Amino acid sequence: MPEERLTMRERAALLVLMAEARELTNAELRELAGFTLDGDCRRRLNDFGLVISTKVGRAYVHDLTDEGAVRCQAELSAPRPPRAGYAGGALYVLLAGLRRHLEVTGGTLGGLFTPDLGHRVETAYRVLAPRPGDSVPLRALREHLDDVPTDRLDRALTALADRPDVHLRAEADQKSLTEQDRQAALVLGGSPRHTLAIEAAW
């Protein structure tokens, strides 16, 4: 893909998704970087196969593809784009320094940027829950995050449980629980919890 085919905003969106190493909503993009990924910008990155944007409720969730990750790697060696501005110019000096560091250490971008598991849980909840505050079975959450080891996910859920807007509850109708539901339960305070609800997930 020719360098000039991506705008500075489109490049910035790719780099933010790379650095966060997780799916992001437009609200999260705005909070983190001061802009959203919508309109022609979103459609172009989707068409180029660099970002997958999924409609969840009324909002989009954006995720970097493997091709997008390759493009981010290429940005480490890319020249400063025209009209990048002061911040854009400084960013590309920083990216060049990052490339030199990875060359010396033999590291990779994938190894450098790792996702915050708590954020991944919240993003998975947004995908699975019809509305904020609705209960999602932990069985479904674990299936959605099947690449995450059980003990790590348990620790992330336990940490989230300290927030007042996060509720890990036991299923009221115990007879409705399947064996998979019981195996997926998280034990808190000696009690198995089977569902997750997050009030402020959107």
Side-chain angles (χ1 to χ4, degrees), residues 29-67:
L29 269 171
R30 185 184 296 108
E31 181 181 352
L32 287 166
F35 66 91
T36 59
L37 184 52
D38 47 26
D40 289 342
C41 182
R42 173 184 58 77
R43 285 188 288 271
R44 278 164 50 85
L45 290 178
N46 293 163
D47 290 344
F48 289 147
L50 302 177
V51 171
I52 293 175
S53 300
T54 305
K55 196 75 174 289
V56 179
R58 291 178 294 175
Y60 278 102
V61 176
H62 310 289
D63 197 16
L64 194 67
T65 66
D66 289 343
E67 290 184 24

Short mmCIF file of all heavy atoms in Angstrom, two decimals, residues 29-67:
data_model
loop_
_atom_site.label_atom_id
_atom_site.label_comp_id
_atom_site.label_asym_id
_atom_site.label_seq_id
_atom_site.Cartn_x
_atom_site.Cartn_y
_atom_site.Cartn_z
N LEU A 29 -11.21 5.67 22.28
CA LEU A 29 -10.26 6.36 21.41
C LEU A 29 -10.22 7.85 21.72
O LEU A 29 -9.15 8.46 21.79
CB LEU A 29 -10.63 6.15 19.94
CG LEU A 29 -10.02 4.96 19.21
CD1 LEU A 29 -10.67 4.80 17.84
CD2 LEU A 29 -8.52 5.13 19.05
N ARG A 30 -11.41 8.43 21.91
CA ARG A 30 -11.47 9.86 22.20
C ARG A 30 -10.80 10.17 23.53
O ARG A 30 -10.05 11.15 23.66
CB ARG A 30 -12.92 10.34 22.23
CG ARG A 30 -13.06 11.86 22.42
CD ARG A 30 -14.50 12.29 22.54
NE ARG A 30 -15.26 12.02 21.33
CZ ARG A 30 -16.19 11.07 21.22
NH1 ARG A 30 -16.46 10.29 22.27
NH2 ARG A 30 -16.86 10.90 20.11
N GLU A 31 -11.04 9.32 24.52
CA GLU A 31 -10.45 9.54 25.84
C GLU A 31 -8.93 9.38 25.81
O GLU A 31 -8.20 10.16 26.44
CB GLU A 31 -11.05 8.56 26.85
CG GLU A 31 -10.51 8.72 28.26
CD GLU A 31 -11.11 7.72 29.22
OE1 GLU A 31 -12.06 7.01 28.84
OE2 GLU A 31 -10.64 7.66 30.38
N LEU A 32 -8.45 8.38 25.05
CA LEU A 32 -7.02 8.11 25.01
C LEU A 32 -6.25 9.08 24.13
O LEU A 32 -5.17 9.54 24.50
CB LEU A 32 -6.78 6.68 24.50
CG LEU A 32 -7.12 5.53 25.45
CD1 LEU A 32 -7.16 4.22 24.68
CD2 LEU A 32 -6.09 5.46 26.58
N ALA A 33 -6.80 9.34 22.94
CA ALA A 33 -6.01 10.06 21.94
C ALA A 33 -6.67 11.32 21.39
O ALA A 33 -6.05 12.03 20.59
CB ALA A 33 -5.70 9.11 20.76
N GLY A 34 -7.89 11.60 21.80
CA GLY A 34 -8.53 12.84 21.40
C GLY A 34 -9.22 12.81 20.06
O GLY A 34 -9.59 13.85 19.52
N PHE A 35 -9.45 11.62 19.48
CA PHE A 35 -10.18 11.54 18.21
C PHE A 35 -10.93 10.22 18.15
O PHE A 35 -10.68 9.31 18.94
CB PHE A 35 -9.23 11.68 17.02
CG PHE A 35 -8.25 10.54 16.88
CD1 PHE A 35 -8.54 9.43 16.10
CD2 PHE A 35 -7.01 10.58 17.51
CE1 PHE A 35 -7.65 8.37 15.98
CE2 PHE A 35 -6.10 9.54 17.39
CZ PHE A 35 -6.43 8.43 16.61
N THR A 36 -11.84 10.13 17.18
CA THR A 36 -12.60 8.90 16.98
C THR A 36 -12.29 8.33 15.60
O THR A 36 -11.70 9.01 14.75
CB THR A 36 -14.11 9.14 17.10
OG1 THR A 36 -14.51 10.11 16.11
CG2 THR A 36 -14.48 9.64 18.48
N LEU A 37 -12.70 7.09 15.39
CA LEU A 37 -12.50 6.42 14.11
C LEU A 37 -13.89 6.21 13.51
O LEU A 37 -14.60 5.26 13.85
CB LEU A 37 -11.78 5.09 14.32
CG LEU A 37 -11.41 4.27 13.08
CD1 LEU A 37 -10.65 5.11 12.07
CD2 LEU A 37 -10.58 3.06 13.48
N ASP A 38 -14.27 7.11 12.63
CA ASP A 38 -15.61 7.02 12.04
C ASP A 38 -15.60 7.56 10.61
O ASP A 38 -14.57 8.01 10.11
CB ASP A 38 -16.64 7.78 12.90
CG ASP A 38 -16.14 9.17 13.30
OD1 ASP A 38 -15.31 9.72 12.57
OD2 ASP A 38 -16.59 9.69 14.34
N GLY A 39 -16.74 7.49 9.97
CA GLY A 39 -16.88 8.03 8.62
C GLY A 39 -15.92 7.40 7.63
O GLY A 39 -15.65 6.20 7.66
N ASP A 40 -15.41 8.24 6.72
CA ASP A 40 -14.50 7.75 5.67
C ASP A 40 -13.24 7.13 6.26
O ASP A 40 -12.71 6.17 5.71
CB ASP A 40 -14.11 8.90 4.73
CG ASP A 40 -15.27 9.33 3.84
OD1 ASP A 40 -16.22 8.54 3.71
OD2 ASP A 40 -15.21 10.45 3.29
N CYS A 41 -12.77 7.67 7.37
CA CYS A 41 -11.56 7.15 8.01
C CYS A 41 -11.76 5.68 8.41
O CYS A 41 -10.92 4.82 8.12
CB CYS A 41 -11.22 8.00 9.22
SG CYS A 41 -9.72 7.53 10.09
N ARG A 42 -12.87 5.38 9.05
CA ARG A 42 -13.15 4.00 9.45
C ARG A 42 -13.33 3.10 8.23
O ARG A 42 -12.76 2.00 8.17
CB ARG A 42 -14.42 3.95 10.32
CG ARG A 42 -14.87 2.52 10.63
CD ARG A 42 -16.17 2.49 11.40
NE ARG A 42 -17.26 3.16 10.72
CZ ARG A 42 -17.93 2.63 9.69
NH1 ARG A 42 -17.61 1.45 9.21
NH2 ARG A 42 -18.92 3.31 9.15
N ARG A 43 -14.11 3.58 7.27
CA ARG A 43 -14.39 2.75 6.09
C ARG A 43 -13.11 2.42 5.32
O ARG A 43 -12.93 1.31 4.83
CB ARG A 43 -15.42 3.45 5.19
CG ARG A 43 -16.84 3.38 5.74
CD ARG A 43 -17.84 3.91 4.73
NE ARG A 43 -17.75 5.35 4.59
CZ ARG A 43 -18.43 6.22 5.34
NH1 ARG A 43 -19.24 5.77 6.29
NH2 ARG A 43 -18.31 7.52 5.14
N ARG A 44 -12.22 3.39 5.20
CA ARG A 44 -10.98 3.14 4.47
C ARG A 44 -10.10 2.10 5.17
O ARG A 44 -9.59 1.18 4.53
CB ARG A 44 -10.20 4.46 4.30
CG ARG A 44 -10.70 5.33 3.15
CD ARG A 44 -10.18 6.75 3.25
NE ARG A 44 -8.74 6.81 3.46
CZ ARG A 44 -7.85 6.77 2.45
NH1 ARG A 44 -8.24 6.60 1.21
NH2 ARG A 44 -6.56 6.89 2.72
N LEU A 45 -9.95 2.23 6.48
CA LEU A 45 -9.14 1.25 7.21
C LEU A 45 -9.78 -0.14 7.17
O LEU A 45 -9.08 -1.15 7.12
CB LEU A 45 -8.95 1.70 8.65
CG LEU A 45 -8.03 2.92 8.84
CD1 LEU A 45 -7.95 3.30 10.32
CD2 LEU A 45 -6.65 2.66 8.29
N ASN A 46 -11.12 -0.18 7.19
CA ASN A 46 -11.82 -1.46 7.03
C ASN A 46 -11.58 -2.03 5.63
O ASN A 46 -11.29 -3.22 5.47
CB ASN A 46 -13.32 -1.30 7.27
CG ASN A 46 -13.69 -0.94 8.70
OD1 ASN A 46 -14.79 -0.49 8.96
ND2 ASN A 46 -12.76 -1.11 9.64
N ASP A 47 -11.72 -1.18 4.60
CA ASP A 47 -11.55 -1.64 3.22
C ASP A 47 -10.13 -2.11 2.95
O ASP A 47 -9.91 -3.05 2.18
CB ASP A 47 -11.91 -0.51 2.24
CG ASP A 47 -13.41 -0.21 2.22
OD1 ASP A 47 -14.19 -1.05 2.72
OD2 ASP A 47 -13.79 0.87 1.74
N PHE A 48 -9.15 -1.45 3.56
CA PHE A 48 -7.74 -1.85 3.38
C PHE A 48 -7.41 -3.12 4.18
O PHE A 48 -6.32 -3.66 4.04
CB PHE A 48 -6.80 -0.73 3.84
CG PHE A 48 -6.79 0.47 2.92
CD1 PHE A 48 -6.59 1.74 3.44
CD2 PHE A 48 -6.97 0.33 1.55
CE1 PHE A 48 -6.57 2.85 2.61
CE2 PHE A 48 -6.95 1.44 0.72
CZ PHE A 48 -6.75 2.71 1.25
N GLY A 49 -8.35 -3.57 5.04
CA GLY A 49 -8.11 -4.77 5.82
C GLY A 49 -7.19 -4.55 7.00
O GLY A 49 -6.63 -5.51 7.54
N LEU A 50 -7.05 -3.29 7.44
CA LEU A 50 -6.15 -2.97 8.54
C LEU A 50 -6.85 -2.96 9.90
O LEU A 50 -6.21 -3.16 10.93
CB LEU A 50 -5.48 -1.61 8.29
CG LEU A 50 -4.70 -1.50 6.98
CD1 LEU A 50 -4.16 -0.08 6.81
CD2 LEU A 50 -3.58 -2.51 6.92
N VAL A 51 -8.14 -2.69 9.88
CA VAL A 51 -8.94 -2.62 11.10
C VAL A 51 -10.28 -3.30 10.85
O VAL A 51 -10.86 -3.16 9.77
CB VAL A 51 -9.19 -1.15 11.53
CG1 VAL A 51 -10.20 -1.07 12.68
CG2 VAL A 51 -7.88 -0.49 11.94
N ILE A 52 -10.75 -4.04 11.84
CA ILE A 52 -12.11 -4.59 11.82
C ILE A 52 -12.94 -3.75 12.78
O ILE A 52 -12.58 -3.59 13.94
CB ILE A 52 -12.13 -6.06 12.25
CG1 ILE A 52 -11.41 -6.93 11.22
CG2 ILE A 52 -13.57 -6.55 12.42
CD1 ILE A 52 -11.28 -8.38 11.65
N SER A 53 -14.06 -3.21 12.28
CA SER A 53 -14.96 -2.42 13.11
C SER A 53 -16.29 -3.15 13.22
O SER A 53 -16.93 -3.44 12.20
CB SER A 53 -15.17 -1.03 12.50
OG SER A 53 -13.94 -0.33 12.40
N THR A 54 -16.69 -3.46 14.44
CA THR A 54 -17.90 -4.23 14.69
C THR A 54 -18.91 -3.35 15.41
O THR A 54 -18.58 -2.69 16.40
CB THR A 54 -17.59 -5.47 15.55
OG1 THR A 54 -16.56 -6.23 14.92
CG2 THR A 54 -18.83 -6.34 15.71
N LYS A 55 -20.15 -3.32 14.92
CA LYS A 55 -21.20 -2.53 15.56
C LYS A 55 -21.70 -3.29 16.78
O LYS A 55 -22.17 -4.42 16.68
CB LYS A 55 -22.34 -2.30 14.57
CG LYS A 55 -23.31 -1.20 14.96
CD LYS A 55 -22.70 0.16 14.75
CE LYS A 55 -23.69 1.30 14.99
NZ LYS A 55 -24.70 1.37 13.94
N VAL A 56 -21.57 -2.69 17.94
CA VAL A 56 -22.05 -3.26 19.19
C VAL A 56 -23.04 -2.26 19.78
O VAL A 56 -22.65 -1.20 20.26
CB VAL A 56 -20.90 -3.53 20.18
CG1 VAL A 56 -21.45 -4.10 21.48
CG2 VAL A 56 -19.88 -4.49 19.57
N GLY A 57 -24.33 -2.61 19.72
CA GLY A 57 -25.34 -1.64 20.11
C GLY A 57 -25.32 -0.49 19.11
O GLY A 57 -25.41 -0.69 17.91
N ARG A 58 -25.16 0.72 19.62
CA ARG A 58 -25.09 1.89 18.73
C ARG A 58 -23.66 2.34 18.47
O ARG A 58 -23.43 3.33 17.77
CB ARG A 58 -25.88 3.05 19.35
CG ARG A 58 -27.38 2.80 19.36
CD ARG A 58 -28.13 3.93 20.03
NE ARG A 58 -27.81 4.02 21.46
CZ ARG A 58 -28.25 4.98 22.26
NH1 ARG A 58 -29.02 5.93 21.79
NH2 ARG A 58 -27.92 4.98 23.53
N ALA A 59 -22.69 1.64 19.05
CA ALA A 59 -21.29 2.07 18.94
C ALA A 59 -20.46 1.04 18.19
O ALA A 59 -20.82 -0.13 18.10
CB ALA A 59 -20.70 2.28 20.34
N TYR A 60 -19.34 1.51 17.63
CA TYR A 60 -18.39 0.63 16.97
C TYR A 60 -17.28 0.23 17.93
O TYR A 60 -16.86 1.02 18.78
CB TYR A 60 -17.76 1.33 15.75
CG TYR A 60 -18.61 1.27 14.51
CD1 TYR A 60 -19.35 2.38 14.10
CD2 TYR A 60 -18.67 0.11 13.73
CE1 TYR A 60 -20.12 2.33 12.94
CE2 TYR A 60 -19.43 0.06 12.58
CZ TYR A 60 -20.15 1.17 12.19
OH TYR A 60 -20.91 1.13 11.05
N VAL A 61 -16.82 -1.00 17.78
CA VAL A 61 -15.63 -1.47 18.46
C VAL A 61 -14.60 -1.78 17.38
O VAL A 61 -14.90 -2.49 16.42
CB VAL A 61 -15.92 -2.74 19.30
CG1 VAL A 61 -14.63 -3.26 19.92
CG2 VAL A 61 -16.95 -2.43 20.39
N HIS A 62 -13.39 -1.23 17.51
CA HIS A 62 -12.36 -1.35 16.48
C HIS A 62 -11.23 -2.25 16.96
O HIS A 62 -10.80 -2.17 18.12
CB HIS A 62 -11.78 0.03 16.15
CG HIS A 62 -12.82 1.06 15.86
ND1 HIS A 62 -13.60 1.05 14.72
CD2 HIS A 62 -13.24 2.14 16.58
CE1 HIS A 62 -14.43 2.08 14.73
NE2 HIS A 62 -14.24 2.75 15.86
N ASP A 63 -10.75 -3.10 16.06
CA ASP A 63 -9.68 -4.03 16.41
C ASP A 63 -8.66 -4.07 15.27
O ASP A 63 -9.05 -4.10 14.08
CB ASP A 63 -10.24 -5.43 16.66
CG ASP A 63 -9.27 -6.33 17.41
OD1 ASP A 63 -8.31 -5.80 18.00
OD2 ASP A 63 -9.49 -7.55 17.41
N LEU A 64 -7.40 -4.06 15.61
CA LEU A 64 -6.32 -4.11 14.62
C LEU A 64 -6.23 -5.53 14.05
O LEU A 64 -6.23 -6.50 14.80
CB LEU A 64 -5.00 -3.72 15.29
CG LEU A 64 -3.81 -3.39 14.40
CD1 LEU A 64 -4.05 -2.12 13.61
CD2 LEU A 64 -2.55 -3.25 15.26
N THR A 65 -6.14 -5.65 12.73
CA THR A 65 -5.97 -6.96 12.11
C THR A 65 -4.48 -7.31 12.04
O THR A 65 -3.61 -6.49 12.35
CB THR A 65 -6.54 -6.96 10.68
OG1 THR A 65 -5.74 -6.07 9.87
CG2 THR A 65 -7.99 -6.52 10.66
N ASP A 66 -4.20 -8.53 11.59
CA ASP A 66 -2.79 -8.92 11.40
C ASP A 66 -2.13 -8.02 10.37
O ASP A 66 -0.97 -7.63 10.53
CB ASP A 66 -2.71 -10.39 10.96
CG ASP A 66 -3.07 -11.36 12.08
OD1 ASP A 66 -3.08 -10.93 13.25
OD2 ASP A 66 -3.36 -12.53 11.78
N GLU A 67 -2.87 -7.68 9.31
CA GLU A 67 -2.32 -6.77 8.30
C GLU A 67 -2.09 -5.38 8.90
O GLU A 67 -1.12 -4.70 8.53
CB GLU A 67 -3.27 -6.67 7.10
CG GLU A 67 -3.34 -7.92 6.25
CD GLU A 67 -4.23 -7.75 5.03
OE1 GLU A 67 -4.42 -6.60 4.60
OE2 GLU A 67 -4.74 -8.76 4.52
#
